Amino acid sequence: MFSLNGTSFTNNSLSGVSRCLNQSSRRVSAPMVVVAAVNSNGKPGDGSVSVLVENALTESPAPVEMEVKSTVTGGVQDVYGEDSATEDQSITPWTLSVASGFSLLRNPHYNKGLAFSERERDTHYLRGLLPPVVISHDLQVKKMMNSIRKYDVPLQRYMAMMDLQEMNERLFYKLLIDNVEELLPIVYTPTVGEACQKYGSIFRRPQGLFISLKEKGKIHEVLKNWPEKKIQVIVVTDGERILGLGDLGCQGMGIPVGKLSLYTALGGIRPSACLPVTIDVGTNNENLLNDEFYIGLRQRRATGQEYSELLDEFMYAVKQNYGEKVLIQFEDFANHNAFDLLAKYGTSHLVFNDDIQGTASVVLAGLMAALNLVGGSLSEHTFLFLGAGEAGTGIAELIALEMSKQTGIPLEETRKKIWMVDSKGLIVKSRMEMLQHFKRPWAHDHEPVQELVNAVKSIKPTVLIGSSGAGRTFTKEVVQAMATFNEKPIIFALSNPTSQSECTAEEAYSWSEGRAIFASGSPFAPVEYNGKVYASGQANNAYIFPGFGLGLIISGAIRVHDDMLLVASEALAEQVSQENFEKGLIYPPFSNIRKISAHIAAKVAAKAYELGLATRLPQPKDLVAYAESCMYSPAYRSYR
Ligand SMILES: NC(=O)C1=CN([C@@H]2O[C@H](COP(=O)(O)OP(=O)(O)OC[C@H]3O[C@@H](n4cnc5c(N)ncnc54)[C@H](OP(=O)(O)O)[C@@H]3O)[C@@H](O)[C@H]2O)C=CC1
Ligand SMILES: CC(=O)C(=O)O
Ligand SMILES: [Mg+2]
């Protein structure tokens, strides 16, 4: 028993946190002295109990390594041992106080709904607050899936999922992990696109952190308002290019929220370590400016110095609050800012642009896999893009880099195998003066060509990639042209959501007489053509960023390097099985995504160590096993 600020505490309840740490299968330094203090009568007066947490690392610098059994794996930097507790161990459901009673049921992090056991209902003052039945986590998942499936409208399913995330986090993640193929199109593209468009009308409870021009000069304090302190990944948007839907301003928040749900479900990053951010500098979307339910600043976008000062303040406040190794993922910025932000902060922060880099890695993986079906090496193929923005030029640059690495041919030469069409036609040398800087490497010698179909007929690409955000631009004539000079034309329709896809799966297969190798950014159902069923893959950066981020975090990487993108592509391509190839697939099913993410993470981490960019030492021997052991599991913990 001891006293703090006049209150008596017992330490016989030295929390399960330290015990949990001891029994984790991860190698842990045993740093935590955790004192869960209860009032001397052992009963909270007002439903809450003060808790004091101390990190004893400073007092006990020598790390103690332990290897013990675990049935549940923990999140990266699971310092409180909550996630690495085995299923038969107890942990304390604490916030700054021990949650109990009504507040426990309203706390999404600890709420278990009808799965609270009889004992927990007694010890945590839940009697009467729940109906008598006690059900399992699995039954909760079954029940929730039943109720979600009753909604015919995808947006209603999205809203039900968001409500669940705000009500019972572990049920939300178990549902998503166990039913990933069915629920990915709900919490992610295409439905998240519609949700962003209607965000103001469907807005119920805020998710993520909103930083607007009003917060200029105060961003450091605003970050402190966020309830979690140990942030490992931030996904940030300014809402100017949301999927292929354009400027959705502050309503772009659905994207960082959705991407970070995938960081947890697909990549195993703890939810409490994820921070979704929307930077609101206004919007140029007239419909939103005139919408009475719009949730953002009602002004046109700030640009120039005003914009860059806000971004600068944000970037430095992030580093001040969370340190060097927090990963900042830029998402859905317009290209006139995206390339510059990546270049500007790439040397001072751990930054990653998902649209430029993540997309590049996922498409390169698909191409590597597709070579198994069409033959030849990468440099024997010719590529034509519709869309020369972030996604298009990002992918092109990574393909050229990989070709250069494979053949030893200089990058300037390998780029010549890649052609681009933008809204003004084929990118050719005569347009050089007027081109944005990121398009210039792709301006080759050729007479001007206006129409895509004519570019296809002239260049005769083996691979056609849509990254335009312009729906149905791969017309019948375009696909038929591809099929005239390719036995198996490779066609990617990357644009999201489905309404913006350059063509549908049905169009790709029927217009190519079943010969296309097709993948799309948003999913399409299998297609029947001439009595045969064709399943297409989903070429979406969701395959890459969760595992990529996990790899950066587990290695303590301080910078992103292009070679990490290349190994991530290899890791993903290696996961495509013979059985997948036989179905014409060039991506593995999402149902294996956590295993895939662990492989990607291991390769990325290994590259970080090789490049001297990793700070978490020593390097674990088996990086795949280590990555898996670091992944968050949504299994319920029992509360003492
Ligand atoms: N599947 C995936 O994982 C990903 C998919 N995407 C999707 O890719 C699309 C583009 O994104 P991003 O590259 O960031 O966008 P950008 O705005 O940076 O680039 C769009 C490009 O498409 C061109 N374009 C637009 N309309 C047409 C048209 N009708 N004909 C020819 N070219 C056109 C633009 O031309 P101009 O330069 O002349 O204006 C520009 O070059 C989006 O729909 C997005 O959802 C993005 C990232 C990942
Ligand atoms: C998938 C994605 O990042 C996009 O469409 O922007
Ligand atoms: Mg994006």
Side-chain angles (χ1 to χ4, degrees):
M1 178 96 67
F2 62 97
S3 186
L4 181 73
N5 290 341
T7 310
S8 299
F9 298 95
T10 62
N11 63 0
N12 59 356
S13 55
L14 239 187
S15 111
V17 174
S18 55
R19 244 182 299 145
C20 298
L21 279 171
N22 291 349
Q23 293 178 15
S24 159
S25 73
R26 289 190 307 138
R27 288 177 171 274
V28 291
S29 306
M32 299 299 296
V33 173
V34 185
V35 181
V38 293
N39 293 342
S40 51
N41 64 5
K43 190 176 170 187
D46 61 353
S48 70
V49 184
S50 301
V51 173
L52 172 68
V53 182
E54 237 175 64
N55 187 337
L57 245 192
T58 44
E59 291 162 20
S60 166
V64 184
E65 291 201 327
M66 288 161 250
E67 282 244 79
V68 219
K69 64 150 192 167
S70 166
T71 54
V72 186
T73 50
V76 176
Q77 275 195 5
D78 177 22
V79 287
Y80 301 133
E82 284 176 3
D83 300 311
S84 51
T86 59
E87 273 164 287
D88 52 1
Q89 290 171 339
S90 311
I91 62 154
T92 303
W94 61 8
T95 54
L96 286 177
S97 55
V98 176
S100 69
F102 198 71
S103 66
L104 181 54
L105 293 181
R106 290 292 177 273
N107 181 330
H109 188 53
Y110 289 116
N111 181 26
K112 300 196 243 180
L114 295 179
F116 278 111
S117 68
E118 298 289 358
R119 194 187 52 74
E120 287 169 333
R121 292 172 190 219
D122 283 330
T123 52
H124 292 281
Y125 307 93
L126 296 170
R127 285 281 166 209
L129 301 181
L130 291 164
V133 74
V134 176
I135 66 174
S136 69
H137 208 175
D138 284 334
L139 191 59
Q140 283 183 307
V141 167
K142 184 175 174 190
K143 179 170 160 283
M144 200 61 212
M145 281 311 292
N146 274 348
S147 79
I148 282 186
R149 285 179 186 139
K150 289 204 176 93
Y151 293 118
D152 293 329
V153 178
L155 191 62
Q156 288 176 326
R157 295 185 178 198
Y158 174 88
M159 289 165 68
M161 286 299 285
M162 292 303 107
D163 284 349
L164 180 61
Q165 190 173 20
E166 291 300 303
M167 196 169 69
N168 181 339
E169 189 177 272
R170 287 183 185 270
L171 183 54
F172 170 83
Y173 282 111
K174 186 164 167 57
L175 202 69
L176 187 50
I177 292 167
D178 291 357
N179 300 277
V180 66
E181 299 208 318
E182 186 172 345
L183 293 178
L184 206 56
I186 302 298
V187 299
Y188 191 52
T189 183
T191 311
V192 72
E194 186 185 355
C196 289
Q197 289 176 307
K198 299 177 180 165
Y199 214 72
S201 310
I202 65 171
F203 183 85
R204 284 197 258 212
R205 256 178 285 187
Q207 290 179 293
L209 198 63
F210 295 90
I211 297 178
S212 78
L213 288 169
K214 287 190 203 170
E215 279 72 56
K216 191 164 190 292
K218 295 180 254 179
I219 298 181
H220 185 67
E221 286 71 45
V222 173
L223 289 178
K224 292 207 178 299
N225 291 345
W226 187 250
E228 304 292 345
K229 306 297 165 211
K230 294 196 176 291
I231 299 301
Q232 293 173 323
V233 187
I234 293 174
V235 176
V236 57
T237 187
D238 72 356
E240 194 169 2
R241 195 287 275 143
I242 295 297
L243 308 178
L245 300 171
D247 183 351
L248 297 185
C250 193
Q251 303 197 163
M253 180 57 102
I255 294 295
V257 167
K259 291 271 177 184
L260 283 164
S261 300
L262 305 195
Y263 258 108
T264 298
L266 279 49
I269 308 295
R270 269 184 306 129
S272 58
C274 297
L275 173 58
V277 176
T278 293
I279 307 255
D280 185 354
V281 295
T283 178
N284 296 338
N285 183 325
E286 291 298 333
N287 289 337
L288 290 180
L289 288 172
N290 294 321
D291 178 352
E292 64 176 322
F293 298 130
Y294 181 53
I295 57 168
L297 286 186
R298 216 169 279 274
Q299 64 169 73
R300 296 188 74 76
R301 279 187 178 273
T303 56
Q305 194 178 342
E306 196 181 7
Y307 179 86
S308 54
E309 279 178 5
L310 194 74
L311 265 290
D312 235 17
E313 186 187 337
F314 169 70
M315 293 301 287
Y316 284 94
V318 161
K319 208 162 159 178
Q320 236 181 326
N321 267 284
Y322 309 120
E324 278 276 334
K325 285 176 265 177
V326 60
L327 170 61
I328 303 168
Q329 174 163 316
F330 293 120
E331 193 71 51
D332 290 10
F333 283 76
N335 62 38
H336 56 89
N337 289 317
F339 290 99
D340 294 348
L341 290 173
L342 187 60
K344 180 172 179 185
Y345 296 109
T347 52
S348 56
H349 291 67
L350 181 66
V351 289
F352 169 70
N353 184 302
D354 188 33
D355 302 300
I356 301 171
Q357 298 172 298
T359 315
S361 187
V362 81
V363 171
L364 179 59
L367 290 169
M368 288 169 167
L371 295 181
N372 286 286
L373 297 171
V374 296
S377 66
L378 209 55
S379 53
E380 287 167 316
H381 285 269
T382 304
F383 303 83
L384 178 65
F385 286 76
L386 182 72
E390 295 166 63
T393 62
I395 300 162
E397 192 62 20
L398 200 67
I399 295 173
L401 181 64
E402 177 66 11
M403 286 199 279
S404 176
K405 288 206 180 242
Q406 283 181 7
T407 58
I409 297 170
L411 197 56
E412 298 72 47
E413 287 301 308
T414 56
R415 284 182 181 139
K416 291 183 181 159
K417 298 283 291 187
I418 303 174
W419 296 81
M420 301 225 153
V421 171
D422 66 7
S423 66
K424 297 182 181 64
L426 190 65
I427 295 183
V428 291
K429 280 228 169 107
S430 57
R431 291 180 54 194
M432 188 67 95
E433 290 293 293
M434 305 297 287
L435 291 174
Q436 290 154 288
H437 66 89
F438 48 87
K439 292 181 182 171
R440 289 190 182 149
W442 314 102
H444 307 315
D445 283 318
H446 199 286
E447 70 265 17
V449 179
Q450 207 63 48
E451 299 298 324
L452 174 67
V453 66
N454 295 331
V456 169
K457 286 176 181 168
S458 173
I459 308 288
K460 295 194 171 39
T462 53
V463 181
L464 178 65
I465 299 179
S467 50
S468 63
R472 308 302 177 267
T473 36
F474 290 173
T475 58
K476 188 172 184 181
E477 215 186 342
V478 166
V479 175
Q480 282 179 338
M482 284 295 291
T484 54
F485 42 79
N486 291 298
E487 176 52 34
K488 290 181 179 172
I490 300 174
I491 300 177
F492 287 83
L494 297 177
S495 294
N496 298 313
T498 316
S499 58
Q500 310 311 112
S501 187
E502 282 79 5
C503 67
T504 65
E506 186 167 12
E507 289 165 346
Y509 293 120
S510 60
W511 293 339
S512 67
E513 296 163 336
R515 287 185 283 123
I517 294 167
F518 177 74
S520 55
S522 299
F524 283 104
V527 170
E528 198 181 320
Y529 172 75
N530 270 356
K532 191 176 161 193
V533 176
Y534 295 83
S536 56
Q538 193 177 346
N540 194 295
N541 49 32
Y543 271 112
I544 292 291
F545 69 79
F548 194 84
L550 180 65
L552 295 173
I553 291 168
I554 62 172
S555 61
I558 49 163
R559 297 285 177 270
V560 168
H561 191 284
D562 282 349
D563 286 357
M564 297 173 180
L565 299 171
L566 295 177
V567 294
S569 303
E570 280 166 24
L572 177 55
E574 281 165 14
Q575 297 298 312
V576 190
S577 66
Q578 197 50 43
E579 192 191 338
N580 301 148
F581 285 133
E582 278 159 18
K583 291 184 190 152
L585 287 170
I586 52 174
Y587 292 99
F590 265 111
S591 50
N592 289 340
I593 188 65
R594 283 169 71 95
K595 181 172 152 264
I596 295 166
S597 293
H599 278 268
I600 294 173
K603 287 240 182 182
V604 169
K607 187 52 79 177
Y609 284 106
E610 186 190 318
L611 295 170
L613 293 171
T615 59
R616 189 154 296 150
L617 300 170
Q619 176 177 347
K621 280 201 183 70
D622 183 343
L623 277 166
V624 175
Y626 182 63
E628 277 171 349
S629 77
C630 288
M631 289 171 94
Y632 164 86
S633 148
Y636 284 143
R637 274 60 177 162
S638 60
Y639 304 152
R640 71 172 57 78

